[in-house]
Amino acid sequence: MKLELGNFYVKDIVFGDETSFNNGILTINKEEALSVVKEDEHITEADLVIVNPGDKVRLVPVKEAIEPRCRVSGGAVFPGVTGKLIQAGNGRTHALKDCSVLVVGKHWGGFQDGLIDMSGEGAKYTYFSQLKNIVLVADTDEDFEKREQQKKNHALRWAGMRLSEYIGNCVKDLEPEEVETYELEPVIKRSEEVAKLPSVVLVMQPQSQMEESGYNDLAYGWDCNHMVPTFMHPNEVLDGAMISGSFMPCSSKWSTYDFQNFPTIKRLFKEHGKTLNFLGVIMSNLNVALEQKERSAQFVAQIAKSLGADGAIVAEEGYGNPDADFIACIVALEDAGVKTVGLTNECTGRDGASQPLVTLDEKANAIVSCGNVSELIKLPPMETVIGELQSLARDGLSGGWEDDEILGPSVKEDGTIIMENNAMFCGDQVVGWSTKTMKEF
Amino acid sequence: MKKAILYLNQFFGQIGGEDKADFAPVIEEGLIGPAAELNKKLENAEVTHTIICGDNFMGSKQDEAVETILNFLEDKEFDIFFAGPAFQAGRYGNACGVICKAVKEKFGVPVVSSMHIENPGVEMFRKDVYIFQGGHSAAKMRKDVKTMATFGDKILSGEKLLPAEEEGYFPRGIRHQVWLESKKPASDRVVEMLVKKLNGEEFETELPIPKADRVPIASPVKDLSKATIAIVNTGGIVPVDNPDRIQSASATRWGKYDVSNMERLKGGEFKTIHAGFDPAAADANPNVIVPLDALRAYEKEGKIGKVHEYFYTTVGTGTTQAEAARMGKEIVEHLKEANVDGVIMVST
């Protein structure tokens, strides 16, 4: 499987007559773009705003981030989700770099939604403050979940994917500035030089805790709750086979943009043939029932062992209940003789004194940690808010609250906010961006 | 100028040696012993008082010592409290820990001490007190005092405090997120750690897992029909007036309550003081946590020999493992003395 990712670096985004890319300038025909958004009649109101790093802008409730792309070799960017089911990870895909499509609710937020500050103290808490963003601010008629804390955000998330593909299509016929090539020989047909290196798998645990459909991450459109771990080519992940869900407290969430750019996968590719032999990805999940957790851990260990893996990285999209899957998987791999490193965040409480993961095991002796979900963050008012600031307090965002005996409400009258890291949009960057770690005080 | 107060034992407080270890606490205006050195090194505060207490007095009459000292401090203005350095002196280390913890809880000021790594006070109080890693003996007095003063100055000036490892105090079990100066992303860290692990090289986990302290499973009771069975619980079931003043969270106390004349625990006579769950069900029927009613039934049926005269209670929520282990060991002594054969341990 050979994937060519053709990159177009975006220096500026403007609105104009024709959606096009020229010399680093991405021009978007707003009207046409909005008509793509409104193809779904459930979208009742929609607008597009361009925000850049350094802008005095606060975005909340942010629901999704997607990199604008097109599949040059034909077919939907997200097979099985936005179009017909085809194999991802093979052929040519073009991507607009340094930018993302952000989907923001015009009013209503939920447990899984987050906040982004494009400048000031708050900017460091999310990856997306350093990107040029095309922000879709919209509302829907999905009244059944308007006041639900858990929202599927279906219309908005799918609108975001359509929009990103519409924008991405403007570079379909252009020659990219650079082409990244990702290719792995079949596992048992690798050169002796590569085969003699320690063999490594990446075990991904995407979010799948909800029993009802519509909330979990999808693999080729299939609910990750309804699968047992399976072997995937890393190219598939980088090329739209995985999309983000709408469930997890936001700082722990992996957005679709995160899947498309998964830094740990790219890092393993870089190391492939040098210090290790990258076998591929074992796609697992994070189901709630104990038996499901044990079943997944058993499948992962068996696949890793059957593939001949010497080492594994296990990355978890979540905290709390999923920590049980994370630790169980590491233990199962270690027991099978696969040397394993974990990649996660922690929940040590506002005072930092709580046990970092729900379960611990001495076999998990190598963990990279990307932050504390419950770290308390206070930020001054921001000149412009896109979306609705009150959603942070009112709608049960995982890091916000309506009132607190000591701290008062999350949103103050002057626009100051106090919140937990939990509600920072994909803030802990467990996919590998994170420059945060945890230290003992 | 901000103000600091220093705690010393009888020896460093210039009262005398071991023969004066029963010395009752006093507070002196001004600088005694190491207080002068501390005052010299502190830039953001002056040391206004020195408190001196004998190590044995603190050891054997802790409640009285703490109460006396807290009373001394009641009308004093101070912004930070120091104790020691205690070097490797075990009783002194304990005294510094006890008083620092009490002062922090009562007055909410930062508390700073210094001890040698092998001083038992380190393990006992590292979670409550900034304890700096100090020397073995008084030969390191100047250095250790300087370390305490430097950190004190840092706190008082509001400067950002670095992780324990970088500041030099024993980690307090508190974990917070920090941004790496190297800006090295997690993707690099995780792959590098894996390569090291695969190659058998040294690596440093970012989340050290504490060693599990496993208790082996007891051998089964041979003949239940002749056995004395006791109930112990961490669900906070106590007589309604909570006579032992067991705390509702982070408990350090436990109690034993006579049930030899009771068929069951009655709501209104017993209740839960546990702060970690909705108490409604347990208050209405305390037997849901202390199943005396069920055990009495077994007793009548002859399934068990008898129910032990007392049940034992503490509260589990927020209680440290060290305190829980200590209380457990104390309770076990009572159970052994009463020849209890088996225990039902109810957690909540």
Side-chain angles (χ1 to χ4, degrees):
Chain A
M1 199 172 261
K2 182 178 172 187
L3 173 67
E4 287 181 331
L5 282 175
N7 294 333
F8 297 80
Y9 287 91
V10 174
K11 294 187 186 71
D12 198 12
I13 308 172
V14 293
F15 290 121
D17 293 337
E18 194 192 347
T19 298
S20 57
F21 181 82
N22 202 343
N23 278 331
I25 313 294
L26 172 63
T27 305
I28 298 170
N29 178 326
K30 194 170 174 178
E31 204 180 321
E32 201 175 277
L34 282 172
S35 72
V36 171
V37 166
K38 287 177 178 168
E39 278 169 17
D40 180 351
E41 58 185 19
H42 293 292
I43 302 285
T44 52
E45 273 184 87
D47 194 14
L48 292 183
V49 190
I50 293 158
V51 297
N52 289 300
D55 286 357
K56 290 176 178 156
V57 170
R58 175 167 292 159
L59 304 146
V60 65
V62 185
K63 295 165 187 292
E64 173 67 301
I66 307 148
E67 186 169 75
R69 287 186 177 186
C70 64
R71 192 177 294 284
V72 179
S73 35
V77 170
F78 303 104
V81 178
T82 55
K84 231 172 67 183
L85 197 58
I86 53 161
Q87 188 81 59
N90 219 4
R92 171 74 80 100
T93 293
H94 283 175
L96 288 157
K97 305 307 285 186
D98 296 340
C99 73
S100 83
V101 167
L102 292 178
V103 183
V104 178
K106 189 164 169 71
H107 302 292
W108 304 99
F111 189 64
Q112 67 291 319
D113 299 340
L115 181 141
I116 297 173
D117 269 6
M118 292 303 293
S119 62
E121 173 69 11
K124 70 176 181 194
Y125 290 96
T126 75
Y127 183 78
F128 298 91
S129 59
Q130 53 188 305
L131 300 181
K132 298 153 198 96
N133 296 301
I134 304 132
V135 183
L136 166 63
V137 203
D139 200 8
T140 80
D141 66 357
E142 294 159 309
D143 288 344
F144 73 97
E145 64 175 16
K146 191 161 273 179
R147 297 204 175 261
E148 292 293 327
Q149 191 176 10
Q150 293 288 358
K151 288 182 171 61
K152 298 181 184 182
N153 287 316
H154 181 90
L156 291 174
R157 291 194 290 133
W158 263 248
M161 283 185 276
R162 281 197 305 281
L163 177 61
S164 73
E165 205 162 338
Y166 161 77
I167 296 168
N169 267 324
C170 76
V171 291
K172 197 166 193 171
D173 302 322
L174 303 183
E175 206 45 51
E177 284 167 53
E178 89 186 350
V179 178
E180 295 171 62
T181 305
Y182 294 98
E183 189 175 15
L184 290 175
E185 292 295 309
V187 172
I188 59 161
K189 292 186 176 166
R190 296 188 178 172
S191 71
E192 202 182 319
E193 249 169 41
V194 173
K196 73 177 185 207
L197 294 168
S199 299
V200 166
V201 288
L202 171 66
V203 180
M204 292 171 63
Q205 298 183 308
Q207 190 42 239
S208 66
Q209 281 184 264
M210 291 297 271
E211 294 297 325
E212 193 183 325
S213 66
Y215 299 98
N216 295 324
D217 293 0
L218 303 179
Y220 286 106
W222 185 254
D223 192 324
C224 290
N225 181 283
H226 301 161
M227 60 185 249
V228 289
T230 190
F231 186 58
M232 285 179 74
H233 197 292
N235 287 3
E236 296 180 277
V237 179
L238 296 177
D239 194 32
M242 299 295 300
I243 71 149
S244 177
S246 185
F247 168 69
M248 201 58 210
C250 210
S251 78
S252 301
K253 193 157 85 169
W254 300 348
S255 70
T256 295
Y257 183 98
D258 290 329
F259 278 112
Q260 291 171 305
N261 289 281
F262 217 93
T264 301
I265 290 181
K266 292 195 172 179
R267 186 66 176 76
L268 283 166
F269 265 114
K270 212 171 122 191
E271 220 55 45
H272 177 67
K274 291 184 192 143
T275 60
L276 52 83
N277 174 13
F278 183 23
L279 297 174
V281 169
I282 300 175
M283 191 62 67
S284 187
N285 55 8
L286 293 170
N287 287 13
V288 174
L290 184 61
E291 199 181 77
Q292 293 176 320
K293 295 177 190 299
E294 286 168 352
R295 183 181 296 115
S296 287
Q298 190 176 304
F299 264 85
V300 167
Q302 177 276 124
I303 296 171
K305 202 67 196 160
S306 298
L307 288 170
D310 303 301
I313 291 170
V314 178
E316 165 195 23
E317 185 192 1
Y319 75 94
N321 183 293
D323 293 340
D325 307 67
F326 177 66
I327 291 294
C329 191
I330 292 174
V331 169
L333 284 163
E334 286 283 342
D335 284 346
V338 181
K339 289 181 178 158
T340 306
V341 181
L343 181 55
T344 185
N345 55 0
E346 300 180 29
C347 175
T348 60
R350 291 175 188 172
D351 63 1
S354 292
Q355 182 172 310
L357 303 175
V358 166
T359 53
L360 300 171
D361 193 293
E362 283 166 47
K363 285 174 185 159
N365 65 358
I367 290 177
V368 168
S369 183
C370 300
N372 173 21
V373 298
S374 34
E375 206 78 37
L376 209 52
I377 300 165
K378 197 174 172 187
L379 296 169
M382 193 63 93
E383 231 170 72
T384 306
V385 173
I386 295 177
E388 191 173 323
L389 190 58
Q390 199 54 44
S391 67
L392 174 65
R394 181 194 61 208
D395 299 344
L397 266 70
S398 52
W401 51 86
E402 269 195 289
D403 205 8
D404 179 278
E405 283 170 350
I406 298 157
L407 302 171
S410 269
V411 178
K412 313 293 179 193
E413 262 176 40
D414 68 346
T416 300
I417 55 171
I418 183 160
M419 58 182 278
E420 280 186 2
N421 176 41
N422 256 318
M424 280 296 173
F425 184 74
C426 301
D428 289 329
Q429 306 168 29
V430 171
V431 291
W433 312 112
S434 182
T435 56
K436 276 193 297 182
T437 187
M438 293 288 285
K439 293 270 187 190
E440 207 162 320
F441 285 81
Chain B
M1 190 70 153
K2 292 192 168 157
K3 295 188 169 83
I5 291 175
L6 174 67
Y7 174 95
L8 298 172
N9 73 353
Q10 81 284 351
F11 180 74
F12 291 102
Q14 298 173 355
I15 302 297
E18 192 57 36
D19 56 322
K20 298 287 183 191
D22 289 317
F23 186 73
V26 293
I27 184 162
E28 303 282 348
E29 230 170 276
L31 310 170
I32 295 168
E37 182 68 15
L38 179 64
N39 193 47
K40 206 167 91 189
K41 291 291 185 308
L42 263 179
E43 285 173 12
N44 296 332
E46 60 167 327
V47 181
T48 60
H49 295 80
T50 312
I51 292 167
I52 304 161
C53 176
D55 282 337
N56 282 355
F57 194 96
M58 181 59 88
S60 57
K61 297 175 191 160
Q62 185 180 311
D63 288 353
E64 189 187 333
V66 168
E67 198 186 328
T68 308
I69 293 168
L70 294 182
N71 280 337
F72 289 158
L73 294 173
E74 197 71 61
D75 62 349
K76 308 286 183 294
E77 271 180 47
F78 63 110
D79 305 281
I80 190 164
F81 188 85
F82 293 94
F87 311 108
Q88 207 177 344
R91 282 175 306 162
Y92 191 17
N94 174 65
C96 289
V98 166
I99 199 62
C100 279
K101 185 173 182 221
V103 167
K104 186 175 90 171
E105 278 166 11
K106 177 93 188 271
F107 301 102
V109 296
V111 290
V112 181
S113 186
S114 163
M115 299 178 201
H116 185 260
I117 190 165
E118 280 164 26
N119 192 317
V122 171
E123 271 317 301
M124 290 165 76
F125 296 102
R126 62 194 288 174
K127 291 209 162 156
D128 306 295
V129 182
Y130 289 114
I131 303 174
F132 280 82
Q133 179 152 357
H136 188 274
S137 71
K140 294 280 187 244
M141 177 65 84
R142 277 167 179 249
K143 185 168 172 282
D144 291 356
V145 167
K146 170 115 187 22
T147 306
M148 287 163 62
T150 306
F151 188 68
D153 278 333
K154 210 169 171 183
I155 295 180
L156 292 171
S157 68
E159 212 181 305
K160 194 174 174 214
L161 304 179
L162 301 174
E165 207 175 45
E166 286 161 61
E167 295 286 1
Y169 61 84
F170 293 100
R172 295 174 300 157
I174 292 173
R175 293 174 63 76
H176 284 295
Q177 62 183 26
V178 294
W179 278 262
L180 288 166
E181 252 174 56
S182 65
K183 296 201 163 83
K184 191 182 240 191
S187 53
D188 283 356
R189 280 138 59 200
V190 75
V191 172
E192 283 171 21
M193 196 184 288
L194 179 64
V195 170
K196 281 183 181 168
K197 193 171 177 177
L198 283 166
N199 294 338
E201 292 164 33
E202 290 269 313
F203 59 87
E204 201 177 331
T205 181
E206 296 178 13
L207 199 178
I209 307 275
K211 273 233 172 308
D213 190 6
R214 287 189 194 283
V215 179
I217 295 171
S219 49
V221 175
K222 282 201 184 80
D223 184 356
L224 210 52
S225 69
K226 294 198 178 80
T228 302
I229 304 295
I231 308 170
V232 180
N233 78 100
T234 58
I237 299 293
V238 293
V240 285
D241 59 348
N242 189 12
D244 296 299
R245 293 179 298 119
I246 299 173
Q247 302 93 329
S248 292
S250 304
T252 58
R253 289 192 280 270
W254 56 272
K256 63 186 257 193
Y257 306 107
D258 189 348
V259 288
S260 53
N261 295 318
M262 294 177 198
E263 282 303 302
R264 61 197 310 278
L265 300 186
K266 290 188 189 131
E269 288 178 18
F270 291 88
K271 66 168 186 184
T272 178
I273 44 122
H274 193 291
F277 58 84
D278 183 343
D283 284 348
N285 178 13
N287 300 276
V288 298
I289 290 175
V290 174
L292 181 63
D293 52 354
L295 279 189
R296 286 282 181 232
Y298 275 5
E299 197 178 39
K300 276 198 194 94
E301 290 168 23
K303 270 195 182 160
I304 61 169
K306 74 175 189 94
V307 181
H308 178 47
E309 288 86 344
Y310 299 92
F311 76 87
Y312 298 77
T313 292
T314 186
V315 161
T317 190
T319 302
T320 62
Q321 197 186 336
E323 286 295 329
R326 176 187 56 77
M327 290 191 278
K329 282 178 188 148
E330 289 169 6
I331 292 170
V332 163
E333 287 309 312
H334 288 251
L335 298 170
K336 273 164 64 181
E337 211 167 289
N339 291 316
V340 169
D341 300 296
V343 174
I344 295 176
M345 170 72 217
V346 187
S347 64
T348 51

